[in-house]
């Protein structure tokens, strides 16, 4: 529907932003939020960065590749942290890590192709 | 993936935001942007409102229903304008109107159910 | 600088969004984040809502008053929670509560005047 | 009030985002929007980028410098276009160019200092 070359990447960024915001609010409901502080912080940063990448690509901006480059880095950082908690059984972290890795993959392709 | 009760609505809002931003930038490339001024303005407002609704729902916010109510109104206003240009053959307006009507429908359900 | 009738309100919303995001990240650094869970959640919601209100007003949108109404409510809710922690000496909460009360005041005026 | 090292830069980005959105909507009201198409497009991109930079800095993110680098480039591009119309007497373009140049200056400092 959107700027065609960006379509898959916009979708991945939008989905990742939602997964990150959801993970942050679910972390706050856990019984041990003090162990999830780094996760929440990375969730918030990654959500903000994914949302901005999606918006900039929606506008067909010449700056899209730059955003995708940063977005991939933010996604990997967030995924790495979430994967630690996913191993301990946190489902919201598992879903978030999955969305982050997928988003990073698509953003990396975009960053090198435009 | 996201706050489950909001999942469909978040997706509709995210898709509509992208369609609106895309429609705005495509309108700017048309040969007669002076006839599309109202469309571009509504696109920009609707995109901003849809993005904010998606974000607020992603956070599982108690204010979600209020955002969905405004979002439905903004989507109907944008769809009405885009439909006029869709009749004249503008494909980006047709796609935008479609996304807006779908988003309005889901937001209206959400606004009355939470 | 901005849409003149909205200028003061846009500035208050932008300042409040920053104060809320800052408060959330500072809460995460405290030694007792488990006691600040509600504060962080409200910070995140209020930041998102203030940012959206500022954007919608920047566009001179007809939906501005609706956003200001919700924004005032979100600001009061966040201020109420932050004031509890400000009393215990948390400076970021004191600053956040102050920004929220100021933003709520200006948003309420805006909501009734346009 | 915000993450202290970022304070001036967050304020400049927030002010620039507002000036850009305002310039876009004012351009749409001019009698010759067809001559302002490039200006509106750059306004929209620059507004989105400034808003994201302000948000990322508000979170004290490690990715802040990267955002400031892109933001400075976007601001210069928008300022260059707006200055052309400012010379023809468009006040919203003059204000926008001024906000963009100021934001670019502060973002460049930030990008090299953190």
């Amino acid at each position: 529907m959107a700027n065609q070359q960006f379509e898959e990447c916009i979708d991945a960024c939008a989905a990742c932003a939602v997964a990150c915001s959801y993970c942050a609010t679910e972390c706050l409901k856990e019984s041990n939020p003090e162990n999830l502080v780094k996760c929440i912080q990375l969730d918030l940063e990654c959500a903000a960065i994914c949302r901005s990448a999606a918006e900039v690509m929606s506008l067909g901006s010449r700056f899209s590749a730059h955003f995708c480059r940063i977005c991939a880095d933010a996604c990997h950082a967030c995924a790495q942290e979430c994967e630690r908690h996913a191993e301990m059984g946190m489902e919201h972290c598992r879903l978030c890590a999955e969305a982050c890795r997928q988003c990073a993959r698509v953003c990396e392709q975009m960053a090198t192709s435009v």
Side-chain angles (χ1 to χ4, degrees), chain A residues 5 19 22-23 37 39 61 64-65 68 73 78 92 95 109:
Chain A
Q5 63 173 142
Y22 177 63
C23 187
V37 157
C39 187
S61 170
S64 296
C68 289
D73 291 346
C78 190
H92 49 83
L95 290 168
Q109 286 171 4

Side-chain angles (χ1 to χ4, degrees), chain A residues 5-55:
Chain A
Q5 63 173 142
F6 296 134
E7 191 167 345
E8 185 187 1
C9 196
I10 291 172
D11 288 348
C13 288
C16 191
V18 172
C20 288
S21 290
Y22 177 63
C23 187
T25 61
E26 289 302 304
C27 283
L28 289 171
K29 293 177 196 161
E30 295 286 350
S31 55
N32 58 340
E34 66 278 13
N35 295 337
L36 295 163
V37 157
K38 192 182 169 193
C39 187
I40 298 169
Q41 176 68 29
L42 286 169
D43 281 339
L44 298 180
E45 295 182 29
C46 196
I49 293 169
C50 285
R51 272 188 280 104
S52 67
E55 183 179 1

Side-chain angles (χ1 to χ4, degrees), chain A residues 6 52-53 55-57 59-70 110-111 114:
Chain A
F6 296 134
S52 67
E55 183 179 1
V56 163
M57 282 188 281
L59 293 168
S61 170
R62 63 172 90 173
F63 298 101
S64 296
H66 298 297
F67 272 79
C68 289
R69 168 52 41 217
I70 307 175
M110 185 59 65
V114 288

